[in-house]
């Protein structure tokens, strides 16, 4: 569910991030959809058919580790899924937020990520593209 939400919503989520956390500026939070596996699927099928194909691939993967490898090739992605692999912490790291020095600013990014996860759970992007 989160992998599909990242495929669909990452371009919009990227626009919410500050310029210092954009792909071309910061190599520590690259786009998940520009990773080698997902990029090729989305490029070949175009925006809608590519997403349908990406969802089909995700649904066909047999293990969570396979999904993680498809959506996140290294830890330097906006959404680092590597801690979800077997034997790891089981979390997903959001890397687009800037380093913050106040609780108020931290709360903003915590609310953003929680809203993203809630949206991923409540609203399936599959229905929007089929």
């Amino acid at each position: 569910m989160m992998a599909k939400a990242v495929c669909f919503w990452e371009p919009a989520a990227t626009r919410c991030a500050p310029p210092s956390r954009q792909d071309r500026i910061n190599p520590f939070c690259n786009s998940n959809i520009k990773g080698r596996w997902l990029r090729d699927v989305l490029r070949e099928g175009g925006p809608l058919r590519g997403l349908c194909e990406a969802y089909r691939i995700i649904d066909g993967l047999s293990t969570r580790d396979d999904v993680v490898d498809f959506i996140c090739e290294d830890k330097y992605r906006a959404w680092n899924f590597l801690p979800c692999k077997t034997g790891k912490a089981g979390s997903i790291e959001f890397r687009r937020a800037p380093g913050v020095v106040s609780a108020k600013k931290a709360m903003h990014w915590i609310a953003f990520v929680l809203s993203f996860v809630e949206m991923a759970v409540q609203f399936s992007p599959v229905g929007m593209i089929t």
Side-chain angles (χ1 to χ4, degrees):
M1 143 180 53
M2 274 297 291
K4 290 179 182 179
V6 166
C7 290
F8 187 82
W9 291 109
E10 189 183 294
T14 299
R15 289 189 293 277
C16 294
S20 65
R21 303 303 270 185
Q22 302 294 324
D23 291 341
R24 291 181 216 114
I25 306 295
N26 194 330
F28 300 106
C29 52
N30 291 313
S31 169
N32 290 76
I33 63 174
K34 293 180 182 172
R36 67 180 172 263
W37 308 119
L38 191 51
R39 177 193 63 225
D40 292 343
V41 169
L42 294 174
R43 183 183 304 144
E44 288 173 18
L48 295 180
R49 278 184 267 170
L51 277 171
C52 289
E53 179 63 11
Y55 292 172
R56 189 191 65 70
I57 290 169
I58 290 168
D59 288 339
L61 294 170
S62 58
T63 68
R64 180 172 57 186
D65 287 358
D66 292 338
V67 173
V68 169
D69 289 337
F70 180 71
I71 195 75
C72 183
E73 64 188 55
D74 57 47
K75 73 177 188 175
Y76 302 112
R77 299 289 149 187
W79 297 92
N80 176 13
F81 282 72
L82 296 182
C84 283
K85 284 195 162 191
T86 304
K88 303 280 184 167
S91 60
I92 299 171
E93 177 188 15
F94 177 63
R95 299 177 61 91
R96 289 260 190 228
V100 295
V101 294
S102 73
K104 183 178 180 180
K105 289 183 179 181
M107 292 293 287
H108 167 82
W109 289 104
I110 292 168
F112 177 85
V113 171
L114 289 175
S115 297
F116 189 94
V117 172
E118 175 69 13
M119 179 270 321
V121 170
Q122 295 291 328
F123 305 103
S124 171
V126 175
M128 294 182 210
I129 63 169
T130 55

